[in-house]
Amino acid sequence: MSLTQALNTAITGLNTAQTRIAITSSNISNVNTAGYSRKIAGQETLTLDGIGAGSQVADIYRNVNEGLVREVRGELGKAGREEVRFEFFQRVQTLFGTPQSDAAISQRISDLADAFEQLGVTPDQTSPRIEAIESAIQVMESFEKLSTQLQDMRDDIDDQITDEVDTANTLLSQIADLNTGIIRLTNLEQPTTELEDQRDQKLNQLSKIIDITTFTRSDGSMVIYSAAGANTLLDRTPNSLSFTQTAGFEPGTGGSGLSLGGVDITDTLRTGTLKGLFEMRDSEIPALNDQINELAGELRDAINEEHNKGTSFPPPTNLSGNRTVATSDPLTATGAFRVAALDADGQLIASDSWSDIALPTTPATVQGIIDAINGSDAGTYLTASLIDNKLVIEGQDGNRVAINELDSQITTGDGRQQGMSHYFGLNDFVATAKSSDTITSTAQSSSTTALNATASSFTITAGSGVLVGGITVNYTATDSLEDVRDSIRTALQGAGMTVADSESTAFIVEDGDRYRLVVEYTANISINDSGTMSAKIGLTEDQPSLAGNMNVSSAIQNDPSRIVRGQMNADTYKTSNAVVDPDAAIPNLGPLVPPPLNYTLTVSGAFTDVDIDYDTTTSLQDIADAINNSATLTDNNITADVIFDSQAGGYKLSITDADGDPFYFSDDGLPAADAITTVLGLGIEFGVHEGDNSAALSLSNTFERTDIQFEATDGLSSKRTSLTDFAASIVATAATRTKVAENAYEFQSSLVTDLSTRIQNEAGVNLDEEMSDLIIFQRAYTASAQVISTVDEMFDALLNAV
């Protein structure tokens, strides 16, 4: 080897050592730099014509385990999703309270139950009434707060989605710029490790927002996909994500999705903060709202059902309904109800100031009920009318008004059956807007999946327009929500409605990532299903916004004495006309001319009707025996007594229900003068007693009922239970989900930390190793310098020799 070759070889060693020292120095200086990976300079032999000519730095590379890096990115996305869910479930639990919290909705309802219990014990006192009203107002305010803040939370999520999308787009642009820099350095055969470190950091941040997969080209640039390659986020240039915020959320509405190149990709998201945010906005929070709405509706109906059965003392001068109706609205109704005009002491204004109205009326419409009331005996003392499309019954000349629903049942537009007063909302404690002009299904997870309802049909009727005659909608087991909608539209068009109007009458709305069928008409509609479709999709006239629109009746707030105490008398009957001999045929009874015919006195109530036939030979004792010998009546504690009235100088009939349950009579001999009702003057002698607290007790017992049917909502199955228990289950479910979210987040965070530690152990800078390498490179540098010095001395010796 020549001296020149030795010199050149030494110089290469010097340069190689110098480069490796520089890289080691960089490693040491970045020991605490986040995301920095240890750089390693490979070393290789230089050869010249097959002869070693020194060394050189080969590639400068990063000590990174790409498999672990890909794994940690996947876990970062999962952690991002769980972090978001945990954050918002924490807010949900704060909003709902814990099962032990005094502010929890379950505790509010429990407090209301206590207030009603006290009211049942002392209904005549003012303070328990006011306490019950204030407690009820707190419950209504809790419902409104929950409903409003759940929607505010969805607004906050929309803001956060916007921020995350902006961040993701910024990261994609930054990664694109880094790709360009890496390509340029690669073409110049320069190290790209520092840019790769920066790109990895950006990729990690991006993977927390949206699930990504990557592919690296030979030029060092990286292509980024989401949804396992389904969507291209970056290929040379970034494809920007786009998102439009919703102006304001209402219960039962949805928000916009995430778009890429004009295509909605929301459903393709698998992990990342965006996935968690969309889940909370479109699934979890709407499900919570449904639970609150279900509780609110059942609470309202349970309280109003009992409140409408009773009357206050003194009775009010008017009863004003909450249901919006029209005179032409058809009613599917059965049974009968009692309406009476009373004085301030609860006594009848006159012996005929009460009437039982049989249902259905003729015509079977709202106007039919108004006409029946006004045309009855009671109509002389009170008036029924429609004011602002609400039924109002008002006493004339200051008379008081009372109603007993008896066994009346009116079917609502969504198929429920309610007593007459409850249906119209004449004596509601909880006031809400009631109408059947819009029927909405419960939220369905899909609009295109078969509903699996039993093949059948339903009819839709209304009091005006093309629905006066009703339309029939057929369906099959394979029909989806969209199929049902289309079938309704087809039937409407067949009845004469335009295509455009049919589309605005039956349509599907998005509720988060769920769907609701809506049937909206210009008049109250009624849906009568002969199969299972209505039950399957949960058609209801209650809107998803119900929970935020309830309050205690303003009439009751203004006058606490309007809280019911007793019941309009329907359990005590007497005859006003006496007979001399209770065992002899009742004079003037039955048909007066041949052929002989029997009349029938029918006893009705919450039991099978009992018919008592009578004719001209029937005695007072015969009537009493017929009642007392009826197993149906005695099983319901209805008994009859023949009593002597010394003032009247004869015998009268007394019929009572020992349990205080309402029952009533109908006489097919009426209006003939020989009917038993007319001959004996069978009827009631009073309206409501001041000491009667039966309605107040029934109201308090509402909260002890365990048979209230709650429909299934997301997260809670259908079940029969009490109001307080269902409310407690909502709170407990929210607490459980928060705990589950916390555990999932902690698990994912620990997993990410573990993987990051493993990566750091491999790719991170170890000062001990770097110092050891530094000594080695320093000695190599010194040795190479010594060779150069030696060769230099040899050259000097050679020159001096010459």
Coordinates of all heavy atoms in Angstrom, one line a residue, residues 3 789-802:
L3 N 2.0 5.3 0.5 CA 1.7 6.3 1.5 C 0.5 7.1 1.2 O -0.3 7.5 2.1 CB 2.9 7.2 1.7 CG 4.2 6.6 2.3 CD1 5.3 7.6 2.4 CD2 3.9 6.1 3.7
S789 N -0.9 11.6 11.0 CA 0.4 12.2 11.5 C 1.6 11.4 11.1 O 2.6 11.9 10.7 CB 0.3 12.3 13.0 OG 1.4 12.9 13.5
T790 N 1.4 10.0 11.2 CA 2.6 9.1 10.9 C 2.9 9.2 9.4 O 4.1 9.3 9.0 CB 2.2 7.7 11.3 OG1 1.9 7.6 12.7 CG2 3.3 6.7 10.9
V791 N 1.9 9.2 8.6 CA 2.1 9.3 7.1 C 2.8 10.6 6.8 O 3.7 10.7 5.9 CB 0.8 9.1 6.4 CG1 1.0 9.4 4.9 CG2 0.3 7.6 6.5
D792 N 2.3 11.6 7.5 CA 2.9 13.0 7.2 C 4.4 13.0 7.6 O 5.2 13.5 6.8 CB 2.2 14.0 8.1 CG 2.7 15.4 7.8 OD1 2.7 15.8 6.7 OD2 3.1 16.1 8.8
E793 N 4.8 12.3 8.7 CA 6.2 12.3 9.1 C 7.0 11.5 8.0 O 8.1 11.8 7.7 CB 6.3 11.6 10.4 CG 5.8 12.5 11.6 CD 5.9 11.8 12.9 OE1 6.4 10.6 12.9 OE2 5.4 12.4 13.9
M794 N 6.4 10.4 7.5 CA 7.0 9.6 6.5 C 7.2 10.3 5.2 O 8.3 10.2 4.6 CB 6.2 8.3 6.2 CG 6.2 7.3 7.5 SD 5.1 5.9 7.2 CE 6.1 5.1 5.9
F795 N 6.2 11.1 4.9 CA 6.4 12.0 3.7 C 7.5 13.0 3.9 O 8.3 13.2 3.0 CB 5.1 12.7 3.4 CG 4.2 12.0 2.4 CD1 2.9 11.6 2.8 CD2 4.6 11.7 1.1 CE1 2.1 10.9 1.9 CE2 3.7 11.1 0.2 CZ 2.5 10.7 0.6
D796 N 7.6 13.5 5.1 CA 8.7 14.5 5.4 C 10.1 13.8 5.3 O 11.0 14.4 4.7 CB 8.5 15.1 6.8 CG 7.4 16.1 6.8 OD1 6.9 16.6 5.8 OD2 6.9 16.4 8.0
A797 N 10.1 12.6 5.8 CA 11.4 11.9 5.8 C 11.8 11.6 4.3 O 13.0 11.7 3.9 CB 11.3 10.6 6.6
L798 N 10.8 11.3 3.5 CA 11.1 10.9 2.1 C 11.5 12.2 1.4 O 12.5 12.1 0.6 CB 9.8 10.4 1.5 CG 9.9 9.9 0.0 CD1 11.0 8.9 -0.1 CD2 8.6 9.5 -0.5
L799 N 10.9 13.3 1.6 CA 11.3 14.5 0.9 C 12.7 15.0 1.4 O 13.5 15.5 0.6 CB 10.3 15.6 1.2 CG 8.9 15.5 0.6 CD1 7.9 16.5 1.1 CD2 9.0 15.5 -0.9
N800 N 13.0 14.8 2.7 CA 14.3 15.2 3.2 C 15.4 14.3 2.6 O 16.5 14.7 2.4 CB 14.3 15.1 4.7 CG 13.5 16.2 5.3 OD1 13.3 17.3 4.7 ND2 13.0 16.0 6.5
A801 N 15.0 13.1 2.3 CA 16.0 12.1 1.8 C 16.4 12.5 0.3 O 17.5 12.3 -0.1 CB 15.5 10.7 1.8
V802 N 15.4 13.1 -0.3 CA 15.6 13.5 -1.7 C 16.4 14.8 -1.7 O 17.4 14.9 -2.4 CB 14.3 13.7 -2.5 CG1 14.5 14.2 -3.8 CG2 13.5 12.4 -2.5

